[in-house]
Coordinates of all heavy atoms in Angstrom, one line a residue:
M1 N 9.6 -18.9 28.5 CA 10.2 -19.2 27.3 C 11.7 -18.8 27.5 O 12.0 -17.7 28.0 CB 9.5 -18.4 26.3 CG 10.1 -18.7 24.8 SD 9.4 -17.7 23.5 CE 7.8 -18.5 23.4
S2 N 12.6 -19.6 27.1 CA 14.0 -19.3 27.2 C 14.5 -18.3 26.1 O 13.7 -18.1 25.2 CB 14.9 -20.6 27.0 OG 14.8 -20.9 25.6
T3 N 15.6 -17.6 26.4 CA 16.1 -16.6 25.5 C 16.2 -17.2 24.1 O 15.8 -16.6 23.2 CB 17.4 -16.1 26.1 OG1 17.1 -15.4 27.3 CG2 17.8 -14.9 25.2
S4 N 16.8 -18.4 24.0 CA 17.1 -18.9 22.7 C 15.7 -19.3 22.0 O 15.6 -19.2 20.8 CB 18.0 -20.2 22.8 OG 17.3 -21.2 23.6
S5 N 14.7 -19.7 22.7 CA 13.4 -20.0 22.1 C 12.8 -18.7 21.6 O 12.3 -18.8 20.5 CB 12.5 -20.6 23.1 OG 13.0 -21.8 23.5
R6 N 12.9 -17.6 22.3 CA 12.3 -16.3 21.9 C 13.1 -15.9 20.6 O 12.4 -15.3 19.7 CB 12.5 -15.3 23.0 CG 11.5 -15.4 24.0 CD 11.4 -14.1 24.9 NE 12.7 -13.9 25.5 CZ 12.9 -14.2 26.7 NH1 12.1 -14.9 27.4 NH2 14.2 -13.9 27.3
R7 N 14.3 -16.1 20.5 CA 15.1 -15.7 19.2 C 14.7 -16.6 18.0 O 14.9 -16.1 17.0 CB 16.6 -15.8 19.5 CG 17.0 -14.7 20.4 CD 18.6 -14.7 20.4 NE 19.0 -14.0 21.6 CZ 20.1 -14.3 22.3 NH1 20.8 -15.3 22.1 NH2 20.3 -13.5 23.3
R8 N 14.2 -17.7 18.2 CA 13.9 -18.5 17.1 C 12.4 -18.4 16.6 O 12.0 -18.8 15.6 CB 14.0 -20.1 17.6 CG 15.3 -20.4 18.1 CD 16.3 -20.5 16.9 NE 15.9 -21.5 15.9 CZ 16.4 -21.8 14.9 NH1 17.7 -21.5 14.7 NH2 15.9 -22.8 14.0
A9 N 11.6 -17.4 17.3 CA 10.3 -17.1 16.8 C 10.2 -15.6 16.7 O 10.9 -14.9 17.4 CB 9.2 -17.6 17.8
C10 N 9.3 -15.1 15.9 CA 9.0 -13.7 15.8 C 7.7 -13.5 15.3 O 7.0 -14.5 14.6 CB 10.1 -13.0 14.9 SG 10.2 -13.5 13.2
E11 N 7.1 -12.3 15.4 CA 5.8 -11.9 14.9 C 5.9 -11.0 13.7 O 6.6 -10.1 13.8 CB 5.0 -11.1 16.1 CG 3.6 -10.9 15.6 CD 2.7 -10.3 16.7 OE1 3.0 -10.5 17.9 OE2 1.7 -9.7 16.3
I12 N 5.1 -11.4 12.7 CA 5.0 -10.5 11.5 C 3.8 -9.5 11.7 O 2.8 -9.8 12.1 CB 4.8 -11.3 10.2 CG1 6.0 -12.2 10.1 CG2 4.6 -10.4 9.1 CD1 5.9 -13.2 8.8
G13 N 4.1 -8.2 11.5 CA 3.1 -7.2 11.4 C 3.2 -6.3 10.3 O 4.3 -6.3 9.6
Y14 N 2.1 -5.7 9.8 CA 2.1 -5.0 8.6 C 0.9 -4.0 8.6 O -0.1 -4.1 9.3 CB 2.0 -5.8 7.3 CG 1.0 -7.0 7.5 CD1 -0.3 -6.6 7.2 CD2 1.4 -8.2 7.9 CE1 -1.3 -7.7 7.3 CE2 0.4 -9.2 8.0 CZ -0.9 -8.9 7.7 OH -1.9 -9.9 7.9
C15 N 1.0 -3.0 7.7 CA -0.1 -2.0 7.5 C 0.0 -1.5 6.1 O 1.2 -1.3 5.7 CB 0.0 -0.9 8.5 SG -1.4 0.3 8.4
A16 N -1.0 -1.3 5.4 CA -0.9 -0.8 4.0 C -1.7 0.5 3.9 O -2.8 0.6 4.5 CB -1.4 -1.8 3.0
H17 N -1.1 1.5 3.2 CA -1.9 2.6 2.8 C -3.2 2.3 2.2 O -3.2 1.3 1.3 CB -1.1 3.6 2.0 CG -1.6 4.9 1.8 ND1 -2.6 5.1 0.9 CD2 -1.3 6.1 2.3 CE1 -2.9 6.4 0.9 NE2 -2.2 7.0 1.8
P18 N -4.3 2.9 2.5 CA -5.6 2.6 1.8 C -5.5 2.5 0.3 O -6.1 1.6 -0.4 CB -6.5 3.7 2.3 CG -6.0 4.2 3.6 CD -4.4 4.0 3.5
A19 N -4.8 3.4 -0.3 CA -4.6 3.4 -1.8 C -3.9 2.2 -2.3 O -4.1 1.8 -3.6 CB -3.9 4.6 -2.3
A20 N -3.1 1.4 -1.4 CA -2.4 0.2 -1.9 C -3.1 -1.0 -1.6 O -2.6 -2.1 -2.0 CB -1.0 0.3 -1.2
R21 N -4.3 -0.9 -1.0 CA -4.9 -2.2 -0.5 C -5.6 -2.9 -1.7 O -6.0 -2.3 -2.6 CB -5.9 -1.8 0.6 CG -5.3 -1.4 1.8 CD -6.2 -1.1 3.0 NE -5.5 -0.5 4.1 CZ -5.9 0.3 5.0 NH1 -7.3 0.6 5.1 NH2 -5.2 0.7 6.0
G22 N -5.8 -4.3 -1.5 CA -6.5 -5.0 -2.4 C -5.8 -5.4 -3.7 O -6.5 -5.9 -4.6
R23 N -4.5 -5.2 -3.8 CA -3.7 -5.6 -4.8 C -2.7 -6.7 -4.7 O -1.9 -7.0 -5.5 CB -3.0 -4.4 -5.4 CG -3.9 -3.2 -5.7 CD -3.3 -2.1 -6.4 NE -2.0 -1.7 -5.7 CZ -1.5 -0.5 -6.0 NH1 -2.1 0.4 -6.7 NH2 -0.4 -0.2 -5.3
G24 N -2.8 -7.3 -3.4 CA -1.9 -8.5 -3.2 C -0.5 -8.1 -2.7 O 0.5 -8.9 -2.6
L25 N -0.3 -6.8 -2.5 CA 1.1 -6.3 -2.2 C 1.5 -6.8 -0.7 O 2.7 -7.2 -0.6 CB 1.1 -4.8 -2.2 CG 0.8 -4.1 -3.5 CD1 0.8 -2.6 -3.4 CD2 1.9 -4.5 -4.5
I26 N 0.7 -6.8 0.2 CA 1.0 -7.2 1.5 C 1.2 -8.8 1.5 O 2.1 -9.4 2.1 CB 0.0 -6.8 2.6 CG1 -0.1 -5.4 2.7 CG2 0.3 -7.5 3.9 CD1 1.2 -4.6 3.1
T27 N 0.4 -9.5 0.9 CA 0.4 -11.0 0.7 C 1.9 -11.4 0.2 O 2.6 -12.1 0.7 CB -0.6 -11.6 -0.1 OG1 -1.9 -11.2 0.5 CG2 -0.4 -13.1 -0.3
G28 N 2.2 -10.7 -0.9 CA 3.6 -10.9 -1.4 C 4.6 -10.5 -0.6 O 5.7 -11.1 -0.5
A29 N 4.6 -9.2 0.1 CA 5.6 -8.8 1.0 C 5.8 -9.8 2.2 O 7.0 -10.1 2.6 CB 5.3 -7.4 1.5
V30 N 4.7 -10.3 2.7 CA 4.8 -11.2 3.7 C 5.4 -12.5 3.4 O 6.3 -13.2 4.0 CB 3.4 -11.5 4.4 CG1 3.4 -12.7 5.3 CG2 2.9 -10.4 5.2
G31 N 5.2 -13.0 2.1 CA 6.0 -14.1 1.5 C 7.4 -13.9 1.5 O 8.2 -14.8 1.8
R32 N 7.8 -12.8 1.2 CA 9.3 -12.4 1.1 C 9.9 -12.3 2.5 O 11.0 -12.9 2.7 CB 9.5 -11.1 0.3 CG 9.1 -11.2 -1.1 CD 9.9 -12.2 -1.9 NE 11.4 -12.0 -1.9 CZ 12.1 -11.4 -2.7 NH1 11.6 -10.7 -3.8 NH2 13.5 -11.4 -2.5
V33 N 9.2 -11.8 3.5 CA 9.5 -11.9 4.9 C 9.8 -13.3 5.4 O 10.7 -13.5 6.1 CB 8.6 -10.9 5.8 CG1 8.9 -11.2 7.2 CG2 8.7 -9.5 5.4
I34 N 8.8 -14.1 5.1 CA 8.9 -15.5 5.4 C 10.2 -16.1 4.9 O 10.9 -16.9 5.8 CB 7.6 -16.3 5.0 CG1 6.4 -15.8 5.8 CG2 7.8 -17.8 5.3 CD1 5.1 -16.2 5.1
E35 N 10.5 -15.9 3.6 CA 11.6 -16.5 3.1 C 12.9 -16.1 3.8 O 13.7 -16.9 4.1 CB 11.8 -16.1 1.6 CG 10.7 -16.7 0.7 CD 10.8 -16.1 -0.7 OE1 11.7 -15.3 -1.1 OE2 9.8 -16.3 -1.5
Q36 N 12.9 -14.8 4.1 CA 14.1 -14.2 4.7 C 14.2 -14.7 6.3 O 15.3 -15.0 6.7 CB 14.1 -12.7 4.7 CG 15.4 -12.0 5.3 CD 16.5 -12.2 4.5 OE1 16.5 -12.5 3.2 NE2 17.8 -12.3 5.1
A37 N 13.1 -14.8 6.9 CA 13.0 -15.2 8.3 C 13.5 -16.7 8.4 O 14.2 -17.0 9.4 CB 11.6 -15.0 8.8
F38 N 13.1 -17.6 7.5 CA 13.4 -19.0 7.6 C 14.7 -19.3 7.1 O 15.2 -20.4 7.3 CB 12.4 -19.8 7.0 CG 11.0 -19.9 7.7 CD1 9.8 -20.2 7.1 CD2 11.0 -19.8 9.1 CE1 8.8 -20.3 7.9 CE2 9.9 -19.8 9.8 CZ 8.6 -20.1 9.2
L39 N 15.4 -18.4 6.3 CA 16.7 -18.7 5.7 C 17.7 -18.7 6.9 O 17.6 -17.9 7.8 CB 17.0 -17.5 4.7 CG 18.2 -17.7 3.9 CD1 18.0 -18.9 2.9 CD2 18.5 -16.5 3.1
S40 N 18.6 -19.6 6.8 CA 19.6 -19.8 7.9 C 20.5 -18.5 7.9 O 20.6 -17.8 6.9 CB 20.5 -21.0 7.7 OG 21.3 -20.9 6.5
V41 N 21.0 -18.3 9.2 CA 21.9 -17.2 9.4 C 23.1 -17.2 8.5 O 23.5 -16.2 8.0 CB 22.3 -17.1 10.9 CG1 23.3 -16.1 11.2 CG2 21.0 -16.9 11.8
D42 N 23.7 -18.4 8.3 CA 24.9 -18.5 7.5 C 24.6 -18.1 6.0 O 25.5 -18.0 5.3 CB 25.6 -19.9 7.7 CG 24.7 -21.1 7.3 OD1 23.4 -21.0 7.4 OD2 25.3 -22.1 6.8
Q43 N 23.3 -18.2 5.7 CA 22.9 -17.8 4.2 C 22.4 -16.4 4.2 O 21.9 -16.0 3.3 CB 21.9 -18.8 3.8 CG 22.3 -20.3 3.6 CD 21.2 -21.1 3.0 OE1 20.2 -21.2 3.7 NE2 21.5 -21.9 2.1
G44 N 22.6 -15.6 5.3 CA 22.1 -14.2 5.3 C 20.8 -14.0 5.8 O 20.3 -12.9 5.8
G45 N 20.1 -15.1 6.2 CA 18.7 -14.9 6.9 C 18.7 -14.7 8.3 O 19.7 -14.5 9.0
L46 N 17.5 -14.8 8.8 CA 17.4 -14.7 10.3 C 17.3 -15.9 11.1 O 17.4 -16.0 12.3 CB 16.0 -14.0 10.6 CG 15.9 -12.5 10.0 CD1 14.5 -12.0 10.3 CD2 16.9 -11.6 10.6
G47 N 17.2 -17.1 10.4 CA 17.3 -18.4 11.1 C 16.2 -18.7 12.0 O 16.3 -19.4 13.0
R48 N 15.0 -18.1 11.8 CA 13.8 -18.3 12.6 C 13.2 -19.8 12.4 O 13.4 -20.3 11.3 CB 12.7 -17.3 12.4 CG 13.2 -15.9 12.7 CD 13.6 -15.8 14.1 NE 13.8 -14.3 14.4 CZ 14.8 -13.9 15.1 NH1 15.6 -14.7 15.7 NH2 15.0 -12.5 15.4
R49 N 12.7 -20.3 13.4 CA 12.0 -21.6 13.4 C 10.4 -21.4 13.2 O 9.8 -22.3 12.7 CB 12.3 -22.4 14.5 CG 11.8 -23.8 14.6 CD 12.0 -24.5 16.0 NE 11.4 -23.9 17.0 CZ 10.0 -24.0 17.2 NH1 9.2 -24.8 16.4 NH2 9.4 -23.5 18.3
R50 N 9.9 -20.4 13.8 CA 8.5 -20.2 13.9 C 8.1 -18.7 13.7 O 8.8 -17.8 14.3 CB 8.1 -20.6 15.3 CG 6.6 -20.6 15.6 CD 6.3 -21.3 17.0 NE 4.9 -21.1 17.3 CZ 4.3 -20.1 17.9 NH1 5.1 -19.1 18.3 NH2 3.1 -20.1 18.1
L51 N 7.0 -18.5 13.0 CA 6.6 -17.2 12.8 C 5.1 -17.0 13.3 O 4.4 -18.0 13.2 CB 6.6 -16.7 11.3 CG 8.0 -16.8 10.6 CD1 7.9 -16.4 9.2 CD2 8.9 -15.8 11.4
E52 N 4.8 -15.9 13.9 CA 3.4 -15.6 14.3 C 2.8 -14.5 13.7 O 3.5 -13.6 13.3 CB 3.5 -15.4 15.9 CG 4.2 -16.5 16.6 CD 4.4 -16.2 18.1 OE1 4.3 -15.0 18.4 OE2 4.8 -17.1 18.8
L53 N 1.5 -14.4 13.6 CA 0.7 -13.4 13.0 C -0.6 -13.3 13.8 O -1.2 -14.3 14.2 CB 0.5 -13.7 11.5 CG 0.0 -12.6 10.7 CD1 0.5 -12.8 9.2 CD2 -1.5 -12.6 10.6
V54 N -1.0 -12.0 14.0 CA -2.3 -11.9 14.8 C -3.2 -11.0 13.9 O -2.7 -9.9 13.3 CB -2.0 -11.2 16.1 CG1 -3.3 -10.9 16.8 CG2 -1.2 -12.0 17.0
A55 N -4.5 -11.3 13.8 CA -5.4 -10.5 13.0 C -6.7 -10.4 13.8 O -7.2 -11.3 14.3 CB -5.7 -11.1 11.6
A56 N -7.3 -9.1 13.7 CA -8.7 -9.0 14.2 C -9.6 -9.9 13.5 O -9.5 -10.1 12.3 CB -9.1 -7.5 14.2
R57 N -10.6 -10.4 14.3 CA -11.6 -11.3 13.7 C -12.3 -10.6 12.4 O -12.6 -11.3 11.5 CB -12.6 -11.8 14.7 CG -13.6 -12.8 14.1 CD -14.7 -13.1 15.0 NE -14.2 -13.9 16.3 CZ -13.9 -15.2 16.3 NH1 -14.1 -15.9 15.2 NH2 -13.5 -15.8 17.4
G58 N -12.5 -9.4 12.5 CA -13.2 -8.8 11.4 C -12.4 -8.3 10.3 O -12.9 -7.7 9.3
N59 N -11.1 -8.5 10.4 CA -10.2 -8.0 9.4 C -9.9 -9.1 8.4 O -8.8 -9.8 8.4 CB -8.8 -7.5 10.1 CG -7.9 -6.8 9.0 OD1 -8.0 -7.0 7.9 ND2 -7.0 -6.1 9.6
L60 N -10.8 -9.2 7.5 CA -10.7 -10.3 6.5 C -9.5 -10.3 5.6 O -8.9 -11.2 5.2 CB -12.0 -10.4 5.6 CG -13.2 -10.6 6.5 CD1 -14.5 -10.7 5.5 CD2 -13.2 -11.9 7.2
A61 N -9.0 -9.0 5.3 CA -7.8 -8.9 4.5 C -6.7 -9.5 5.1 O -5.8 -10.1 4.6 CB -7.6 -7.4 4.1
S62 N -6.4 -9.2 6.5 CA -5.3 -9.8 7.2 C -5.4 -11.2 7.5 O -4.4 -11.9 7.3 CB -5.1 -9.0 8.5 OG -4.6 -7.8 8.4
I63 N -6.6 -11.7 7.6 CA -6.8 -13.2 7.7 C -6.4 -13.8 6.4 O -5.8 -14.9 6.3 CB -8.2 -13.5 8.1 CG1 -8.5 -12.9 9.5 CG2 -8.5 -15.0 8.0 CD1 -10.0 -12.9 9.9
N64 N -6.8 -13.2 5.2 CA -6.5 -13.8 4.0 C -5.0 -13.8 3.7 O -4.4 -14.7 3.1 CB -7.2 -13.0 2.8 CG -8.6 -13.4 2.8 OD1 -9.0 -14.6 3.2 ND2 -9.5 -12.6 2.3
V65 N -4.2 -12.7 4.2 CA -2.8 -12.7 4.1 C -2.2 -13.9 4.8 O -1.3 -14.6 4.2 CB -2.3 -11.3 4.7 CG1 -0.7 -11.4 4.8 CG2 -2.6 -10.2 3.8
A66 N -2.6 -14.1 6.0 CA -2.2 -15.2 6.8 C -2.4 -16.6 6.0 O -1.5 -17.4 5.8 CB -2.8 -15.3 8.2
L67 N -3.6 -16.8 5.6 CA -4.0 -18.0 4.9 C -3.3 -18.2 3.7 O -2.8 -19.4 3.3 CB -5.5 -18.1 4.8 CG -6.3 -18.1 6.1 CD1 -7.8 -18.1 5.9 CD2 -5.9 -19.3 7.0
R68 N -3.2 -17.2 2.8 CA -2.5 -17.3 1.5 C -1.0 -17.6 1.7 O -0.4 -18.1 0.7 CB -2.7 -16.0 0.7 CG -4.2 -16.0 0.2 CD -4.4 -14.8 -0.7 NE -5.8 -14.8 -1.2 CZ -6.4 -13.7 -1.3 NH1 -6.0 -12.5 -0.8 NH2 -7.7 -13.8 -1.7
N69 N -0.5 -17.3 2.9 CA 1.0 -17.5 3.1 C 1.1 -18.8 4.0 O 2.2 -19.0 4.6 CB 1.6 -16.3 3.8 CG 2.1 -15.3 2.8 OD1 2.9 -15.6 2.0 ND2 1.3 -14.2 2.7
A70 N 0.1 -19.7 4.0 CA 0.1 -21.0 4.6 C 0.3 -21.0 6.2 O 0.6 -22.0 6.7 CB 1.3 -21.8 4.1
F71 N -0.1 -19.9 6.8 CA -0.2 -19.9 8.3 C -1.3 -20.7 8.7 O -2.4 -20.8 8.0 CB -0.4 -18.5 8.8 CG 0.9 -17.7 8.8 CD1 1.4 -17.1 7.7 CD2 1.5 -17.4 10.0 CE1 2.6 -16.3 7.8 CE2 2.6 -16.6 10.2 CZ 3.2 -16.0 8.9
T72 N -1.3 -21.3 9.9 CA -2.3 -22.1 10.5 C -2.9 -21.4 11.6 O -2.3 -20.8 12.5 CB -1.8 -23.4 11.0 OG1 -1.3 -24.2 9.9 CG2 -2.8 -24.3 11.7
Q73 N -4.3 -21.2 11.7 CA -5.0 -20.6 12.8 C -4.7 -21.4 14.0 O -5.0 -22.6 14.1 CB -6.4 -20.3 12.6 CG -6.9 -19.4 13.8 CD -8.4 -19.1 13.5 OE1 -8.9 -19.1 12.4 NE2 -9.1 -18.8 14.7
T74 N -4.2 -20.8 15.1 CA -3.8 -21.6 16.3 C -4.8 -21.2 17.5 O -4.7 -22.1 18.5 CB -2.4 -21.4 16.8 OG1 -2.2 -20.1 16.9 CG2 -1.5 -22.0 15.6
G75 N -5.5 -20.2 17.4 CA -6.3 -19.8 18.5 C -7.0 -18.5 18.4 O -6.9 -17.8 17.4
V76 N -7.8 -18.1 19.4 CA -8.5 -16.9 19.5 C -8.2 -16.3 20.9 O -8.3 -16.9 21.9 CB -10.1 -17.2 19.4 CG1 -10.9 -15.8 19.5 CG2 -10.3 -17.8 18.1
R77 N -7.8 -15.0 20.8 CA -7.7 -14.2 22.0 C -9.0 -13.4 22.2 O -9.3 -12.4 21.5 CB -6.6 -13.2 21.9 CG -5.2 -13.9 21.9 CD -4.1 -12.8 21.8 NE -2.9 -13.5 21.4 CZ -1.8 -12.7 20.9 NH1 -1.9 -11.4 20.9 NH2 -0.7 -13.4 20.6
R78 N -9.9 -14.0 23.0 CA -11.3 -13.3 23.1 C -11.3 -11.9 23.7 O -10.6 -11.7 24.6 CB -12.1 -14.2 23.9 CG -12.3 -15.7 23.3 CD -13.1 -16.6 24.0 NE -12.7 -16.6 25.4 CZ -13.6 -16.9 26.3 NH1 -14.8 -17.1 26.2 NH2 -13.0 -16.9 27.6
A79 N -12.0 -11.1 23.0 CA -12.2 -9.7 23.4 C -10.9 -9.0 23.8 O -10.7 -8.3 24.8 CB -13.2 -9.6 24.6
A80 N -9.9 -9.2 22.9 CA -8.5 -8.8 23.3 C -8.1 -7.4 22.7 O -7.1 -6.9 23.0 CB -7.4 -9.8 22.8
D81 N -8.9 -7.0 21.7 CA -8.6 -5.8 21.0 C -9.6 -4.7 21.2 O -10.7 -4.8 20.7 CB -8.4 -6.1 19.4 CG -7.9 -5.0 18.6 OD1 -7.0 -4.1 19.2 OD2 -8.3 -4.7 17.4
R82 N -9.2 -3.6 21.9 CA -10.1 -2.5 22.2 C -10.3 -1.6 20.9 O -9.3 -1.1 20.4 CB -9.7 -1.8 23.3 CG -10.7 -0.6 23.7 CD -10.5 -0.1 25.1 NE -11.6 0.5 25.7 CZ -11.7 1.9 25.5 NH1 -10.7 2.6 25.1 NH2 -12.8 2.4 26.1
R83 N -11.4 -1.4 20.6 CA -11.7 -0.6 19.4 C -11.9 0.8 19.7 O -12.2 1.1 20.9 CB -12.9 -1.2 18.6 CG -12.6 -2.6 18.2 CD -13.8 -3.2 17.5 NE -14.0 -2.3 16.3 CZ -14.3 -2.8 15.0 NH1 -14.3 -4.0 14.9 NH2 -14.4 -1.9 14.1
R84 N -11.9 1.7 18.7 CA -12.1 3.2 19.0 C -13.4 3.5 19.7 O -13.5 4.4 20.5 CB -12.0 4.0 17.7 CG -10.6 3.9 17.2 CD -10.5 4.9 16.0 NE -9.1 4.9 15.4 CZ -8.8 4.9 14.2 NH1 -9.8 4.9 13.3 NH2 -7.6 4.8 13.8
D85 N -14.5 2.7 19.4 CA -15.7 3.0 19.9 C -15.9 2.3 21.4 O -16.9 2.5 22.0 CB -16.9 2.4 19.1 CG -16.9 0.9 18.9 OD1 -16.1 0.2 19.6 OD2 -17.8 0.4 18.2
G86 N -14.9 1.8 22.0 CA -14.8 1.2 23.3 C -15.3 -0.2 23.4 O -15.1 -0.9 24.3
S87 N -15.7 -0.9 22.3 CA -16.1 -2.2 22.2 C -14.7 -3.1 22.0 O -13.6 -2.5 21.8 CB -17.0 -2.6 21.0 OG -16.4 -2.3 19.8
Y88 N -14.9 -4.4 22.1 CA -13.7 -5.2 22.1 C -14.0 -6.2 21.0 O -15.1 -6.7 20.8 CB -13.4 -6.0 23.4 CG -12.9 -5.0 24.4 CD1 -13.8 -4.2 25.2 CD2 -11.5 -4.9 24.6 CE1 -13.2 -3.4 26.2 CE2 -11.0 -4.1 25.5 CZ -11.8 -3.4 26.3 OH -11.3 -2.5 27.2
E89 N -12.9 -6.7 20.3 CA -13.0 -7.6 19.3 C -12.0 -8.7 19.5 O -10.9 -8.6 20.0 CB -12.6 -6.9 17.9 CG -12.8 -7.8 16.7 CD -12.7 -6.9 15.4 OE1 -12.0 -5.9 15.3 OE2 -13.3 -7.4 14.4
D90 N -12.3 -9.9 19.0 CA -11.4 -11.0 19.3 C -10.2 -10.9 18.2 O -10.4 -10.4 17.2 CB -12.1 -12.4 18.8 CG -13.2 -12.7 19.7 OD1 -13.4 -12.2 20.9 OD2 -14.1 -13.6 19.4
L91 N -9.1 -11.4 18.7 CA -7.9 -11.5 17.8 C -7.7 -13.0 17.5 O -7.7 -13.9 18.4 CB -6.7 -10.9 18.6 CG -6.7 -9.4 18.8 CD1 -5.4 -9.0 19.6 CD2 -6.8 -8.7 17.4
L92 N -7.5 -13.3 16.2 CA -7.1 -14.7 15.8 C -5.6 -14.7 15.7 O -4.9 -13.9 15.2 CB -7.8 -14.9 14.4 CG -9.3 -14.6 14.3 CD1 -9.7 -15.0 12.8 CD2 -10.1 -15.4 15.3
T93 N -5.2 -15.9 16.3 CA -3.7 -16.1 16.2 C -3.3 -17.1 15.1 O -4.1 -18.1 15.0 CB -3.2 -16.5 17.6 OG1 -3.8 -17.7 18.0 CG2 -3.4 -15.4 18.6
F94 N -2.2 -16.9 14.5 CA -1.8 -17.8 13.4 C -0.3 -18.1 13.6 O 0.5 -17.3 14.2 CB -1.9 -17.2 12.0 CG -3.4 -16.9 11.7 CD1 -3.9 -15.6 12.1 CD2 -4.1 -17.8 10.9 CE1 -5.2 -15.3 11.7 CE2 -5.5 -17.5 10.5 CZ -6.0 -16.3 11.0
D95 N 0.2 -19.2 13.2 CA 1.7 -19.5 13.2 C 2.1 -20.3 12.0 O 1.2 -20.9 11.3 CB 2.1 -20.0 14.5 CG 1.8 -21.5 14.7 OD1 1.3 -22.2 13.8 OD2 1.9 -22.0 15.8
L96 N 3.4 -20.3 11.7 CA 3.9 -21.0 10.6 C 5.3 -21.5 11.0 O 6.0 -20.8 11.5 CB 4.1 -20.1 9.3 CG 4.6 -20.7 8.1 CD1 3.8 -21.7 7.5 CD2 4.9 -19.5 7.1
L97 N 5.4 -22.8 10.8 CA 6.9 -23.4 11.2 C 7.6 -23.5 9.9 O 7.2 -23.7 8.8 CB 6.6 -24.7 11.8 CG 5.7 -24.8 13.0 CD1 5.5 -26.2 13.5 CD2 6.2 -24.0 14.1
S98 N 9.0 -23.4 10.2 CA 9.9 -23.5 9.0 C 9.7 -24.7 8.2 O 9.8 -24.7 7.0 CB 11.4 -23.2 9.5 OG 11.7 -24.3 10.4
E99 N 9.4 -25.8 8.8 CA 9.4 -27.1 8.1 C 8.1 -27.2 7.3 O 7.9 -28.1 6.4 CB 9.5 -28.3 9.0 CG 8.5 -28.4 10.2 CD 8.9 -27.7 11.4 OE1 9.9 -27.0 11.4 OE2 8.4 -28.1 12.4
E100 N 7.1 -26.2 7.5 CA 5.9 -26.2 6.7 C 6.1 -25.4 5.4 O 5.1 -25.4 4.7 CB 4.7 -25.6 7.5 CG 4.4 -26.4 8.8 CD 3.5 -25.7 9.7 OE1 3.5 -24.5 9.8 OE2 2.8 -26.5 10.5
R101 N 7.2 -24.8 5.2 CA 7.4 -24.0 4.0 C 8.1 -24.8 2.9 O 8.9 -25.5 2.9 CB 8.2 -22.7 4.3 CG 7.5 -21.5 4.6 CD 6.4 -21.2 3.6 NE 6.7 -20.0 2.8 CZ 5.9 -19.3 2.2 NH1 4.6 -19.6 2.3 NH2 6.3 -18.3 1.4

């Protein structure tokens, strides 16, 4: 991937304190990040073309954040996430293109 291509894409990551979960805060925050990421540089944004998001298969809350923000599931990284108990879990990959917003 060329340097200019890498600058046009980025990955969104997040974590919520347990007391803040289940209230839609992360879904809303990701929506705001998307707006800023896709806003052109001359308008004060990041000028990104593509955003990526990864969620563990069992993390339904993160999967819902992706889907509620119009991300498309693009693949599965099989047995890619090592858990504390030593087992492995699949990671689901999602992306969103600026023209899809």
Side-chain angles (χ1 to χ4, degrees):
M1 181 182 291
S2 72
T3 302
S4 62
S5 295
R6 283 194 299 264
R7 288 187 193 144
R8 300 291 301 191
C10 62
E11 182 175 340
I12 296 177
Y14 47 82
C15 182
H17 186 279
R21 294 178 184 161
R23 300 188 314 201
L25 298 173
I26 297 297
T27 299
V30 168
R32 297 299 305 265
V33 169
I34 292 167
E35 290 172 12
Q36 186 67 26
F38 287 155
L39 193 63
S40 67
V41 173
D42 61 330
Q43 294 179 308
L46 298 176
R48 301 298 190 216
R49 185 188 63 78
R50 182 173 177 273
L51 301 176
E52 301 168 353
L53 191 148
V54 177
R57 184 182 296 278
N59 189 340
L60 298 181
S62 282
I63 293 167
N64 284 331
V65 167
L67 296 176
R68 287 186 180 133
N69 278 290
F71 280 77
T72 298
Q73 185 178 340
T74 57
V76 178
R77 297 181 194 164
R78 299 180 307 148
D81 188 34
R82 187 166 194 262
R83 303 181 56 137
R84 289 183 182 144
D85 67 3
S87 65
Y88 287 85
E89 187 169 28
D90 294 346
L91 293 176
L92 307 181
T93 59
F94 299 85
D95 72 12
L96 179 65
L97 304 177
S98 60
E99 61 265 19
E100 295 173 333
R101 264 318 249 203

